[in-house]
Amino acid sequence: MPGTCVIGLQWGDEAKGKLVDLLTSQFEIVVRYQGGANAGHTVVIGDQTYKLHHIPSGILNPGVINVVGTGVVANPATLLKEIDSLLQRGIQIQGNLLLSDRAHIVFPWHIAEDRAMDSSTADGENIGTTHRGIGPCYGDKVGRSHAIRLGDLYRPDFRQKIERVITIKQELLAGVDWSLPNDLDPQTIHAEFSGYAERLRPYVCDTTSYLLDAVEAQRKILFEGAQGSLLDVDHGTYPFVTSSNSSGLGVAAGSGVPGRWITKVIGVAKAYTTRVGGGPFPTELSDATGQRIRELGKEYGTTTGRPRRCGWFDAVAVRYTARLSGIDTISLMMMDVLSHLPEVKICTSYEINGERVNRFPSHVDDLRAAQPVYETMPGWQQDVSKARRRAELPDGARRYLDRIAELVGRPIEFVSVGPDRDQTILD
Ligand code: GDP
Ligand code: IMO
Ligand code: MG
């Protein structure tokens, strides 16, 4: 049976890109199926670092087909920049990249709306989006009447569609500070996006049918999640989430491949926790230890460069997302970062309004009130970045892994001890 998924179990940036790149040699097709340019997936191969936003992290393995599926919201300018930068670095794209004609297009008005809406939320705390137009584009997709898909760019009525949408957007967004070079002139936007469409033409197709043919032919497919399960629009820390189903639940809807073809789900988690943007984060460390983790882990956003908030591993949250995303095994990343700390902590439950709670709360206010209950373990204080077998890890590190597996309720299959492909423990 063909489908394996790599899904983030925390608030994104769990190092999914590294794992996908590592696993790709075992697959024929790699698929991104949700999110868009809000994602930033880093792959390090020797002295080369690649940062991918739309294109699957499988693209660096020659001979593998990389699909940007139906559920993705694509920014054509960013996508073309990605393609160009990969081409410049000698990566084969033609014949290896397919873009869904059903994927929705992010337009300049989406980015402007995103900026305007993110300036305040109902409770006064910003979501802190990536300002990539993701929420407004998904909003228009669901709203249907003002949405434009990639396939629409090739139709004779594209010009009329643009004019109609811009007229309405200008009325709706009167007074919004666009802060964008683009003046929303229909003729300019039509010309600009027609240019993108021409350049993207060789890659555009019906990826849903392509993937259905592929699974029926038993071809091996790797699905690459973007964001993380706690950012899932339905089951995450709403409203401090992204606008797609970024848990394992989104794979089928976003790709068009029914769940019955998915036989394995790997959940990716850091050995600690990070979050970018607003929203509750019970194990956040606002002290020197948090700062130390940020510096040791180089925890600055791949897409926006924002410093990531850092904290201890939250086993309540990851136990929840492991179940939600239906994972079989865990890939635990960034173990090298914790090596330098005298002690490490794992959150095993919360105390909410004086009550001990093991369940991840459904309401953001309860999560805000949650006080982490910690188990403290001695740090191993030994460089692990050269370990290639679990037996080579210090006892303290192995105990930490065992305890996480026990608390989350799933085995740890991979351990990452550095950004490079090689810095991975597979046994
Ligand atoms: P993604 O969005 O889930 O693909 O993750 P990002 O690429 O945004 O962030 C993960 C960062 O950690 C990247 O800079 C990776 O190169 C780096 N990385 C991956 N695995 C490890 C690891 O085991 N140790 C360290 N120190 N860095 C890692
Ligand atoms: P990858 O795929 C980390 C966060 C934003 C913000 C919230 C909503 O690299 O793991 P959005 O722009 O999606 O409307 O922002 O979600 N966010 C991410 N955080 N990694 C990501 O992607 C993220 N994509 C979005 O910081 O809090
Ligand atoms: Mg990232």
Side-chain angles (χ1 to χ4, degrees):
M1 290 281 265
T4 295
C5 309
V6 168
I7 305 290
L9 295 178
Q10 294 157 322
W11 280 290
D13 300 327
E14 298 91 347
K16 299 173 291 293
K18 168 177 166 158
L19 187 68
V20 167
D21 168 67
L22 189 71
L23 298 178
T24 293
S25 59
Q26 302 165 35
F27 293 87
E28 295 166 76
I29 302 168
V30 184
V31 186
R32 271 282 309 275
Y33 53 88
Q34 45 72 230
N38 51 349
H41 296 182
T42 315
V43 179
V44 179
I45 306 171
D47 61 359
Q48 295 292 311
T49 299
Y50 301 87
K51 292 178 190 293
L52 300 157
H53 300 287
H54 297 87
I55 298 179
S57 304
I59 198 73
L60 306 169
N61 289 251
V64 173
I65 303 293
N66 288 266
V67 175
V68 175
T70 295
V72 168
V73 287
N75 179 323
T78 318
L79 181 53
L80 281 162
K81 250 190 228 152
E82 254 179 280
I83 291 174
D84 287 343
S85 118
L86 289 168
L87 285 171
Q88 272 165 18
R89 297 172 77 177
I91 306 298
Q92 170 77 28
I93 304 283
Q94 186 74 50
N96 287 356
L97 178 67
L98 302 177
L99 308 175
S100 171
D101 59 356
R102 293 181 176 91
H104 279 255
I105 298 297
V106 176
F107 283 95
W109 48 87
H110 293 131
I111 294 167
E113 284 175 70
D114 195 0
R115 285 197 180 140
M117 287 197 291
D118 195 41
S119 57
S120 103
T121 51
D123 58 8
E125 188 181 357
N126 293 353
I127 294 174
T129 75
T130 59
H131 291 183
R132 295 299 185 270
I134 304 298
C137 185
Y138 275 119
D140 277 350
K141 168 180 170 168
V142 179
R144 297 151 298 160
S145 51
H146 306 123
I148 300 178
R149 309 208 287 187
L150 183 52
D152 296 331
L153 271 50
Y154 303 95
R155 300 283 155 170
D157 64 349
F158 174 44
R159 174 67 189 261
Q160 284 131 280
K161 214 169 236 172
I162 282 277
E163 279 170 8
R164 189 171 54 77
V165 173
I166 288 182
T167 306
I168 291 163
K169 288 286 173 185
Q170 275 167 334
E171 283 167 19
L172 289 173
L173 299 171
V176 166
D177 172 17
W178 293 90
S179 311
L180 285 171
N182 212 313
D183 60 359
L184 282 203
D185 167 50
Q187 197 175 332
T188 313
I189 301 233
H190 177 261
E192 181 185 338
F193 281 76
S194 297
Y196 299 147
E198 268 328 295
R199 289 204 53 211
L200 292 173
R201 193 189 282 276
Y203 312 109
V204 179
C205 67
D206 174 358
T207 60
T208 303
S209 295
Y210 173 84
L211 291 173
L212 288 171
D213 289 345
V215 284
E216 284 164 13
Q218 300 291 325
R219 295 179 74 192
K220 294 180 80 183
I221 305 185
L222 185 61
F223 295 92
E224 176 177 0
Q227 291 78 57
S229 302
L230 294 172
L231 290 171
D232 187 288
V233 66
D234 286 302
H235 306 279
T237 52
Y238 193 91
F240 300 97
V241 292
T242 191
S243 299
S244 64
N245 286 116
S246 51
S247 69
L249 299 168
V251 178
S255 66
V257 173
R260 70 194 290 265
W261 295 104
I262 291 157
T263 47
K264 183 169 178 187
V265 184
I266 304 168
V268 189
K270 283 178 182 169
Y272 46 93
T273 312
T274 63
R275 173 163 213 177
V276 203
F281 176 178
T283 62
E284 182 170 14
L285 291 165
S286 311
D287 59 3
T289 307
Q291 183 62 27
R292 188 113 197 269
I293 293 175
R294 184 173 309 113
E295 297 313 324
L296 291 168
K298 301 191 175 65
E299 293 292 359
Y300 295 87
T302 307
T303 297
T304 59
R306 289 179 289 177
R308 295 173 180 152
R309 300 156 67 190
C310 298
W312 296 120
F313 188 87
D314 185 339
V316 182
V318 177
R319 185 163 56 233
Y320 165 63
T321 55
R323 296 170 67 210
L324 181 72
S325 288
I327 73 161
D328 296 286
T329 63
I330 302 166
S331 184
L332 202 80
M333 317 304 276
M334 327 284 285
M335 272 297 277
D336 54 308
V337 173
L338 293 186
S339 297
H340 306 275
L341 304 177
E343 60 177 28
V344 288
K345 295 186 185 190
I346 303 175
C347 168
T348 54
S349 61
Y350 300 142
E351 219 169 270
I352 303 178
N353 303 326
E355 220 181 292
R356 189 66 74 93
V357 173
N358 286 310
R359 210 173 255 277
F360 194 72
S362 57
H363 200 284
V364 76
D365 289 347
D366 293 332
L367 191 62
R368 242 188 220 119
Q371 294 300 317
V373 177
Y374 287 120
E375 215 170 88
T376 303
M377 301 169 78
W380 39 98
Q381 293 187 278
Q382 196 177 316
D383 178 25
V384 295
S385 65
K386 292 182 188 65
R388 297 293 175 268
R389 306 198 53 231
R390 220 173 279 204
E392 291 165 21
L393 290 173
D395 288 349
R398 281 209 305 272
R399 271 198 295 276
Y400 187 72
L401 294 176
D402 290 346
R403 188 64 181 133
I404 284 180
E406 186 179 22
L407 288 164
V408 174
R410 298 290 190 281
I412 294 178
E413 184 177 10
F414 306 105
V415 178
S416 178
V417 292
D420 202 83
R421 262 185 191 170
D422 292 346
Q423 292 178 296
T424 316
I425 298 176
L426 305 170
D427 70 342

